[in-house]
Amino acid sequence: MSAVLLPLVVALPLLGAALLVTGGRKLPRVAADGLGTACAAATAVLTLTVRPGQEWVGGWHGVGIVLAGDRLGLGLAALVSVLVVAVLVYSWRYFEEPPRQYAGSFPALVLIFQAGMCGFALTGDLFNAFVFFELMGVVAYALTGYRVDEARAVQGALTFGIVNSFGGYATLLGIGLLYARTGELGMARIGRALATEGHGPDALVLCAFVLVMTGLLVKAAAVPFHFWLPDAHAVAPTPVCMLLSGVMVELGGYGVARVYWTVFAGPGGVPAADVRHALLTFGVLTALVGAVLCWQQRHLKRMLAFSTVGHTGLFLVGLATLSPEGLGGTAIYVLGHAGAKAALFACVGILLDRYGSVDEYELYRKARELPLVGVLFACGGLALGGLPPFGTALGKGVAEEAAGHAFGAALPALYVVVSAITGAAVLRAGARIFFGLGPRPIPSDEAPETPGEHEVPETAVLLRRVPATMLGVPIALLAGAVAVGTVPRLATAVGTAADRFTGQVIPSPPPGWTTPGVVLGILSAVAAMALATAAVRMPRRLGFLRWTTPLRRLHSGHVGDYIAWVVAGTALLALLVR
Amino acid sequence: VSVLGVMPYAVAGWVFLIGVYGLATSRNLVHAVGCLAVTQSSTYVLLIAVGYRDGGTAPVFADIPVGRKVVDPVVQALALTDVVVGATVTALLLALVVQVDKRHGTLDPDELSELKG
């Protein structure tokens, strides 16, 4: 289909949301959910069939708002849409209690979320990127605090909102500075204007770069911009977590890549060496902090949240190579990660709705009656650990090779270590909860931690039997993660997309399995299993790590602290690109 | 560039920074959301300053002669959009603050200590 249809990718979910808001309360629940799912699915089909291209919305050629649907952006919009469909199917049985008179409210919010994320992926206009950034932000805050009667949920949503919107305003200041310099708002036109002016990177351009990146790095949850993420993920309803971790955070990284390559990559922008250096620093820091804190969690959603932080760090390292190989590998990694992480959240949701708890210690041995869910959970852990043939392993292999070429052999080691630790944390929890392995873990009373006991289930009553939708969705998502690794056409398409995105004229070799990639993938997966086994056997030695306490204390839940850290991160970024 | 020409930018920077200071040290969540709105108002100041032209008038073309110098209308459209975004964000965050007060019985961020580690 021609690119003229690009605006529909944003308009269709918005239309669905409008229908649900106006007519939802008159519809029976099944019809409302069905309408929402149909709209999301139609958008997914559209993103997969529309031809890449540029479209001036409303025909205001040259002056209006431009949508630039390149292959990478369309691919991300497709990922968003497919995940939204999965989430809507998964939550078929969710939220029966509070807003009975507003049957359509949840699917309507999810559709607006979809529109915001798709718009952000497709926009070619920097100011509109800010608008879509805030649109997906606001809906995400509302969805995080969807259960308004829960103390923690509203607190997490508020923190999420204040920190993200603060980042958004920093971005807008940067956009204002760029407009002041160039008189343009289209990303490509700003890039061209900066290049033709030709007075190199001066203070104003650097300042604009730092401010624009601040908001995007907040969304991408790079350390030290990441503090909102674990708080939001720990309290958001499970289907929302699937979207937040699966794709919204990754969109922040996409924004970094998009803005760098379209706006700042030319002469008059920011020197590539500085950007590489800055992204690498943030990436390594994020990956290590995320992995260590993931290992220390007992609250399952918080554990998965920190694992997302760790993987985001690896994504940033992949972007830091500024090469089509690094970008392509990272894109495949993001696809595989979305499937695995969303499936893991789906499994945690089953635990929550059946036992009213997401606490590793409290759930010990309880879920032995759910072996299938246990196997799915373990598969998710192995996928995070980078086991071939999951897409995570393919993406990790390609990205770590690119990072190794660009920055030396320490970087592949970082990929292996972070994958192993985040995978091991999941495997450890799964072994205890679903298979009852090891002695009963004893909580430490010294650690500042968030336990996950006594959580309110998200279904009307505690589930007796796991509904087919809640079981089918994680299976489909994991199958998707395998498909990403095993369908060569998909990897080739991502490779082409990355070439176009980075302006590579001579096509680079398509990303695929290599011997070192497979070996390192198996290595990290085996290390994850070994680490998990050791932790289950020796809970005292490998449970509470005292040296992490200062780091954990920084995650205070205090919104003022988090804002101070965002400012510190901005200062660090400014120092790195100075 | 004259001192007066730099002033609006300095004001924008200053407003942003006092907002940050307020957010970081806030002892009340209503105040914190207010401070967020203050940081946002720095973006209004910056945008309007960027579009200012010496001797330009308001870009309402119905009642000015053709060729009259006007200030940049684009940034005004941006500022309006920005106001709408800000109103949405502030309203939603204040609604969440009300719920925090109901469920926690406090508005002091120092006393919210359930999410940590």
Side-chain angles (χ1 to χ4, degrees):
Chain A
M1 280 186 272
S2 112
V4 182
L5 296 178
L6 268 180
L8 273 186
V9 175
V10 182
L12 203 58
L14 283 180
L15 180 70
L19 286 177
L20 282 171
V21 168
T22 48
R25 67 185 73 184
K26 299 203 185 85
L27 290 176
R29 162 113 197 216
V30 178
D33 283 357
L35 178 64
T37 316
C39 273
T43 313
V45 172
L46 193 62
T47 53
L48 288 169
T49 50
V50 75
R51 225 175 307 132
Q54 219 185 43
E55 174 64 17
W56 294 88
V57 178
W60 291 88
H61 196 90
V63 286
I65 294 162
V66 63
L67 287 179
D70 66 332
R71 285 156 195 270
L72 205 66
L74 273 173
L76 264 174
L79 174 66
V80 168
S81 304
V82 169
L83 262 189
V84 165
V85 173
V87 160
L88 287 176
V89 172
Y90 180 82
S91 48
W92 204 261
R93 289 279 299 268
Y94 260 56
F95 310 123
E96 295 188 44
E97 254 329 287
R100 184 155 293 187
Q101 66 274 40
Y102 304 108
S105 66
F106 182 73
L109 281 171
V110 172
L111 286 178
I112 303 176
F113 196 22
Q114 181 187 13
M117 291 195 285
C118 287
F120 185 77
L122 296 181
T123 183
D125 179 288
L126 203 50
F127 184 75
N128 261 51
F130 162 75
V131 173
F132 283 123
F133 179 100
E134 285 288 358
L135 176 62
M136 69 174 165
V138 169
V139 192
Y141 319 151
L143 281 169
T144 302
Y146 187 74
R147 292 177 298 159
V148 290
D149 291 330
E150 285 202 37
R152 282 183 186 179
V154 284
Q155 186 198 340
L158 184 66
T159 311
F160 179 17
I162 290 180
V163 176
N164 267 257
S165 282
F166 175 73
Y169 301 148
T171 297
L172 182 56
L173 282 180
I175 296 170
L177 292 180
L178 285 174
Y179 182 78
R181 165 56 58 83
T182 62
E184 299 285 355
L185 288 170
M187 292 192 212
R189 289 179 169 216
I190 300 176
R192 249 173 276 143
L194 286 179
T196 48
E197 274 178 27
H199 40 123
D202 56 4
L204 186 133
V205 173
L206 286 180
C207 194
F209 176 78
V210 169
L211 286 169
V212 171
M213 287 299 166
T214 294
L216 298 170
L217 288 172
V218 167
K219 195 63 98 189
V223 174
F225 302 99
H226 73 290
F227 287 87
W228 61 271
L229 183 142
D231 288 2
H233 283 52
V235 300
T238 313
V240 179
C241 291
M242 292 161 71
L243 287 175
L244 293 183
S245 246
V247 69
M248 188 195 79
V249 170
E250 286 73 7
L251 279 175
Y254 166 77
V256 169
R258 179 90 180 230
V259 168
Y260 168 71
W261 262 293
T262 335
V263 178
F264 292 101
V270 179
D274 293 346
V275 176
R276 249 186 222 123
H277 187 52
L279 287 182
L280 181 67
T281 310
F282 280 107
V284 172
L285 194 65
T286 309
L288 291 175
V289 169
V292 167
L293 288 178
C294 170
W295 182 251
Q296 288 292 293
Q297 303 302 317
R298 58 190 274 203
H299 186 294
L300 292 176
K301 282 187 181 177
R302 225 173 145 81
M303 174 191 290
L304 294 178
F306 275 113
S307 122
T308 299
V309 174
H311 283 270
T312 310
L314 297 183
F315 300 155
L316 286 177
V317 172
L319 296 181
T321 61
L322 299 186
S323 66
E325 294 83 9
L327 181 71
T330 304
I332 297 173
Y333 205 168
V334 166
L335 289 177
H337 174 267
K341 189 54 67 64
L344 283 169
F345 270 115
C347 295
V348 171
I350 294 175
L351 291 174
L352 172 59
D353 296 332
R354 191 173 166 94
Y355 305 106
S357 169
V358 290
D359 190 80
E360 181 184 338
Y361 297 172
E362 200 202 19
L363 284 170
Y364 173 67
R365 293 174 78 93
K366 273 202 182 148
R368 279 181 302 166
E369 58 201 10
L370 299 172
L372 177 58
V373 183
V375 168
L376 293 175
F377 196 76
C379 285
L382 289 172
L384 286 188
L387 182 75
F390 284 106
T392 42
L394 177 60
K396 169 174 158 292
V398 177
E400 73 195 350
E401 196 179 329
H405 278 305
F407 307 114
L411 270 297
L414 177 81
Y415 275 83
V416 171
V417 168
V418 171
S419 305
I421 297 178
T422 52
V426 171
L427 290 175
R428 178 195 72 197
R432 282 180 177 154
I433 295 170
F434 294 101
F435 303 104
L437 302 180
R440 175 173 291 277
I442 308 141
S444 150
D445 44 9
E446 289 174 67
E449 64 184 0
T450 309
E453 302 148 313
H454 317 298
E455 294 266 334
V456 183
E458 292 155 355
T459 44
V461 286
L462 283 180
L463 295 175
R464 292 249 189 82
R465 214 175 52 80
V466 183
T469 46
M470 288 177 74
L471 210 51
V473 165
I475 293 176
L477 287 168
L478 282 172
V482 171
V484 172
T486 49
V487 180
R489 261 187 66 197
L490 200 71
T492 315
V494 173
T496 317
D499 278 351
R500 298 274 167 87
F501 192 87
T502 53
Q504 176 91 355
V505 185
I506 312 149
S508 46
W513 294 101
T514 56
T515 317
V518 173
V519 170
L520 288 179
I522 293 176
L523 177 71
S524 62
V526 169
M529 284 188 266
L531 191 56
T533 313
V536 168
R537 290 261 176 82
M538 300 178 286
R540 267 172 217 285
R541 182 101 42 96
L542 282 170
F544 167 56
L545 305 173
R546 191 171 307 271
W547 56 271
T548 62
T549 305
L551 189 57
R552 294 175 75 184
R553 266 192 223 295
L554 296 181
H555 297 77
S556 56
H558 192 293
V559 68
D561 295 355
Y562 292 1
I563 291 290
W565 278 111
V566 171
V567 175
T570 308
L572 175 62
L573 178 61
L575 281 177
L576 287 170
V577 298
R578 165 180 60 99
Chain B
V1 184
S2 68
V3 176
L4 273 178
V6 177
M7 265 316 263
Y9 299 97
V11 169
W14 173 248
V15 172
F16 188 78
L17 290 177
I18 51 171
V20 171
Y21 174 76
L23 268 172
T25 57
S26 181
R27 300 294 305 274
N28 181 305
L29 288 172
V30 177
H31 170 259
V33 174
C35 288
L36 186 68
V38 169
T39 53
Q40 193 191 14
S41 23
S42 73
T43 62
Y44 308 148
V45 178
L46 179 82
L47 287 173
I48 299 303
V50 163
Y52 182 73
R53 304 281 178 274
D54 276 330
T57 183
V60 182
F61 294 98
D63 52 0
I64 53 174
V66 178
R68 175 87 161 79
K69 198 175 179 188
V70 294
V71 298
D72 186 350
V74 172
V75 289
Q76 308 212 346
L78 300 190
L80 270 177
T81 313
D82 192 10
V83 168
V84 175
V85 169
T88 317
V89 170
T90 310
L92 181 73
L93 293 182
L94 285 176
L96 286 169
V97 170
V98 170
Q99 283 304 121
V100 168
D101 186 41
K102 275 192 195 159
R103 300 298 151 205
H104 291 269
T106 176
L107 283 174
D108 187 349
D110 293 340
E111 288 175 25
L112 304 175
S113 58
E114 275 192 75
L115 296 170
K116 57 178 187 285

